[in-house]
Amino acid sequence: EVQLVESGGGSVQAGGSLRLSCAASGYTYNRNCMAWFRQAPGKEREGVARIATGSGNTYYADSVKGRFTIPQDNAKNTVYLQMNSLKPEDTAMYYCVAARPSGGYCVLLRQYVEDWGQGTQVTVS
């Protein structure tokens, strides 16, 4: 089992930036895919960004491409979500996840998620 602890959420004005952190602990050796999902009130939970922790390969949902990045610090078992040019529609609960690969590739799909963090709220006004 992997424990994921997020931090860094908060309230920000439109156009501002926030950085979320996700510290992973426990049996992380076979969790090669880390990602961020979000869920806004009344909406489905959606994948935002993912990283293959071995290669560093990243993928972003169209809604955040060019504004969000997902860097990692392997020495600290930590991934981040750097969010720039925030919009009110980015308001949501953000969840860090550890996922298993599909066919050797990391994919941003909920069915491959193995572990969820507790979530951190981001509010953009």
Side-chain angles (χ1 to χ4, degrees):
E1 184 181 352
V2 176
Q3 292 78 46
L4 303 169
V5 179
E6 301 108 329
S7 60
S11 297
V12 64
Q13 291 189 336
S17 298
L18 280 175
R19 189 177 81 156
L20 308 182
S21 299
C22 172
S25 61
Y27 193 77
T28 62
Y29 300 103
N30 63 345
R31 296 294 193 266
N32 300 317
C33 308
M34 298 293 292
W36 290 90
F37 280 67
R38 68 184 181 186
Q39 187 167 22
K43 293 190 175 182
E44 293 287 321
R45 197 168 291 191
E46 62 172 352
V48 173
R50 66 102 175 117
I51 185 167
T53 57
S55 67
N57 179 268
T58 57
Y59 174 85
Y60 301 93
D62 287 343
S63 57
V64 306
K65 199 173 295 182
R67 300 187 297 121
F68 290 12
T69 59
I70 183 170
Q72 63 176 343
D73 185 335
N74 285 339
K76 296 181 179 179
N77 271 351
T78 299
V79 294
Y80 305 92
L81 187 66
Q82 178 65 44
M83 304 183 292
N84 300 325
S85 302
L86 282 160
K87 305 175 181 179
E89 51 264 44
D90 294 318
T91 295
M93 185 72 78
Y94 283 72
Y95 298 90
C96 176
V97 308
R100 66 183 185 278
S102 171
Y105 295 94
C106 293
V107 293
L108 198 57
L109 294 174
R110 189 170 176 176
Q111 62 255 43
Y112 294 98
V113 174
E114 297 280 356
D115 308 280
W116 293 86
Q118 81 284 358
T120 185
Q121 178 68 37
V122 171
T123 302
V124 185
S125 59

